[in-house]
Amino acid sequence: VDDNPSQYRIMLSGTVKSPKISFDPILLMLIPVPLGMKTETTVNIIPQDYLRQSRIRVELPELDSEYGDRICPFSVEFPNGQDIFVLSDGTNVQLICHVGFSSSRPVSCLENIFFIDEDEN
């Protein structure tokens, strides 16, 4: 290569995979409970194609109550932490999340809870 003026051509190809998360179950329907009581269910968060550790944050919806104020009856807990880890074989560790609901006022709603990684995905 050093003394030979020949040209060499290298072609590279690849696939870019964007990190994403999926949920099991994909939809929650929390059972009705008496006022002030908490209902809770477990959601498995399944990260895919994360190449480095990332932390999940949660945005919970606020609701307008019939009394004119805003309440946040939802809660989220991560018993094993909120970090997405990458194993040595490149797979990501599943996260466990407990989603709860409790309200001292009558509420019925259909809302989204947003789970966002460090890259705002």
Side-chain angles (χ1 to χ4, degrees):
V1 173
D2 293 329
D3 295 328
N4 187 349
S6 300
Q7 294 182 355
Y8 293 91
R9 183 180 203 185
I10 298 174
M11 295 196 58
L12 301 174
S13 66
T15 303
V16 176
K17 293 184 178 181
S18 296
K20 60 185 173 187
I21 54 177
S22 56
F23 302 91
D24 181 33
I26 59 172
L27 177 68
L28 294 182
M29 291 193 335
L30 299 171
I31 61 168
V33 293
L35 295 177
M37 299 295 292
K38 185 175 185 179
T39 183
E40 187 175 70
T41 192
T42 299
V43 176
N44 295 308
I45 299 174
I46 306 156
Q48 299 168 320
D49 301 324
Y50 280 83
L51 301 176
R52 61 179 171 80
Q53 183 176 332
S54 187
R55 186 169 186 82
I56 297 292
R57 68 179 172 86
V58 181
E59 289 183 1
L60 298 173
E62 288 187 347
L63 309 176
D64 292 321
S65 78
E66 61 186 32
Y67 302 101
D69 59 343
R70 297 192 54 83
I71 60 172
C72 184
F74 296 98
S75 63
V76 173
E77 296 177 19
F78 293 87
N80 301 324
Q82 295 173 238
D83 292 326
I84 296 172
F85 291 103
V86 182
L87 299 177
S88 59
D89 65 356
T91 59
N92 300 129
V93 178
Q94 179 174 294
L95 300 175
I96 296 172
C97 177
H98 298 296
V99 177
F101 178 92
S102 177
S103 178
S104 60
R105 299 187 177 153
V107 175
S108 178
C109 62
L110 175 62
E111 295 292 331
N112 292 313
I113 296 175
F114 293 98
F115 295 82
I116 304 164
D117 67 17
E118 290 178 352
D119 294 325
E120 299 296 317
N121 295 312

